[in-house]
Amino acid sequence: MLRRSAPLTNTDLVLGVIGGMGPQATADFLAKLVAVTPVGVEQEHLRVLIDSNPAVPDRNKAIAGNGVSPAPALEKMAVGLETAGADMLVMICNTAHVFEGAIRRAVTVPFVSIVDEACDACARVVPVGQHVGLLAAPGCIEAGLYQEALQRRRLKPVLLSPEDQASFNKLIYEIKLGAPTNGIAPQMKRLADRLVASGAQALVAACTEVPLALSQQDLSRPLIDATRTLAERCVRYARRLEPIPLSYYRR
Amino acid sequence: MLRRSAPLTNTDLVLGVIGGMGPQATADFLAKLVAVTPVGVEQEHLRVLIDSNPAVPDRNKAIAGNGVSPAPALEKMAVGLETAGADMLVMICNTAHVFEGAIRRAVTVPFVSIVDEACDACARVVPVGQHVGLLAAPGCIEAGLYQEALQRRRLKPVLLSPEDQASFNKLIYEIKLGAPTNGIAPQMKRLADRLVASGAQALVAACTEVPLALSQQDLSRPLIDATRTLAERCVRYARRLEPIPLSYYRR
């Protein structure tokens, strides 16, 4: 509705963003989307509808069985974005992709998976059979989201030790609370280096809080920033430079 | 609709953002809003609905009589945000506030003016009768938005010379195209220094592209960042720490 009535300078698809988990990560995605979109004039940037809803229940707690499911909230956000005119959806939270089935069943527009896009990006830089280190939230690890997606691409996931994973979990909650990232960055780098020491040929920032505190120049191996990868892929899909995979539609 | 159906952890008002002018500025606003919101847990952040629509026609061209009016697009975005559940609206583009009357007439929820909030902030740091330097887009200057709002507060606007304003106009269009801000920052600082040399006791970043290339540490006088000021005020209004001024409602 919104989309049809506003002046269009192009025929790009309108992107709907299920966000707010945390809201910093949503701002980071929008900034990266703008940065990776080739334009000759402001009006050529993609239209983006964002529902930044930090009240979505904690995904890690829900997956651990210690909290209510975020699925009903995510479904309603997705429906709201489709109603407002979104032609394709993304969700700026890797762990929340545990609930992507519910989202896909609630809408008719495609839902582009940050997990699949990040793992495709890994497969472009890491040879078959090699190891990819995961910097991911506890719910994401517990659900095996990235482990399975990597294995489907014949890549081997490398996880943090339980102790290091516990340290990582603390860090991401500190980032969510807006702690200054310059205090957190060295600790994040230390954890990333552990994954490299364990044989990782590349690392995935598989939690949207990670790139807020870790960047490529901190690391001796390629860092796949899932947020940035998703942004790059959205530009290609929205501009129809590549077809949206059928697996991203309701099924 | 969205708002009622999603789980609420608090009773904060939902903020609707008319954005995309440019989209970098909208991302900057969201990042600043998150940074200035006091929270004990992620779920306490404000819910924000954003329509980042870069296809809105160029405001400066419209005001200069060289382009179509952005008003119809802005009205429709505002209505869409209210329909989606926004309790209050803001627009992340100072110059577009030339068309705020049309937006206010289109919706029933309050529209919080970035111009009024920034000028209130000036009045808190600059004594009556003193001068405030304006870093604002040509359409904003031509329409007298900030000049009148400052004069109503008994402050005196200081403008760039026509030559410097022309340089400034070029800079903001470069920022909109994503030019690296480290090349632009020294030029922006030079223009700000000119305003100080002309007697400005404080400066207003009265164009949302300005704070992307200029910050307080570059300057010898207080810099009022309209974007950040708006974010701070939105938190207070959304949490009902202060009543929303009656002037922000439809009239």
Side-chain angles (χ1 to χ4, degrees), chain A residues 17-27 50-56 59 77 91-93 176 208-209, chain B residues 30 34 42-48:
Chain A
V17 177
I18 302 170
M21 303 168 271
Q24 300 93 337
T26 298
I50 302 175
D51 184 351
S52 180
N53 184 7
V56 171
R59 284 68 62 198
M77 292 165 73
M91 180 159 60
I92 313 306
C93 175
K176 282 175 183 290
T208 55
E209 270 71 38
Chain B
L30 182 58
V34 174
E42 175 180 297
Q43 279 70 14
E44 291 173 9
H45 274 287
L46 299 186
R47 185 169 190 179
V48 188

Side-chain angles (χ1 to χ4, degrees), chain A residues 175-241:
Chain A
I175 296 169
K176 282 175 183 290
L177 290 187
T181 52
N182 52 351
I184 289 172
Q187 299 176 66
M188 191 64 84
K189 176 178 162 29
R190 186 183 62 81
L191 296 170
D193 289 341
R194 293 284 182 95
L195 291 169
V196 173
S198 300
Q201 296 298 308
L203 301 171
V204 194
C207 169
T208 55
E209 270 71 38
V210 171
L212 304 176
L214 186 74
S215 56
Q216 181 63 70
Q217 59 259 39
D218 300 324
L219 300 169
S220 59
R221 292 284 185 285
L223 175 68
I224 285 90
D225 173 355
T227 306
R228 188 183 177 91
T229 299
L230 183 66
E232 290 167 345
R233 301 296 296 167
C234 283
V235 173
R236 297 190 65 76
Y237 295 140
R239 294 197 163 164
R240 301 167 215 249
L241 300 172

Side-chain angles (χ1 to χ4, degrees), chain A residues 129-140:
Chain A
Q130 292 295 301
H131 293 80
V132 175
L134 292 180
L135 292 165
C140 187

Side-chain angles (χ1 to χ4, degrees), chain B residues 124-161:
Chain B
R124 287 192 289 269
V125 299
V126 178
V128 164
Q130 291 295 302
H131 293 80
V132 175
L134 292 181
L135 292 165
C140 188
I141 296 288
E142 188 174 332
L145 274 189
Y146 267 87
Q147 296 96 309
E148 291 170 17
L150 288 171
Q151 284 160 356
R152 280 197 300 275
R153 289 158 179 89
R154 296 194 288 159
L155 298 172
K156 295 178 181 162
V158 180
L159 306 184
L160 292 169
S161 70

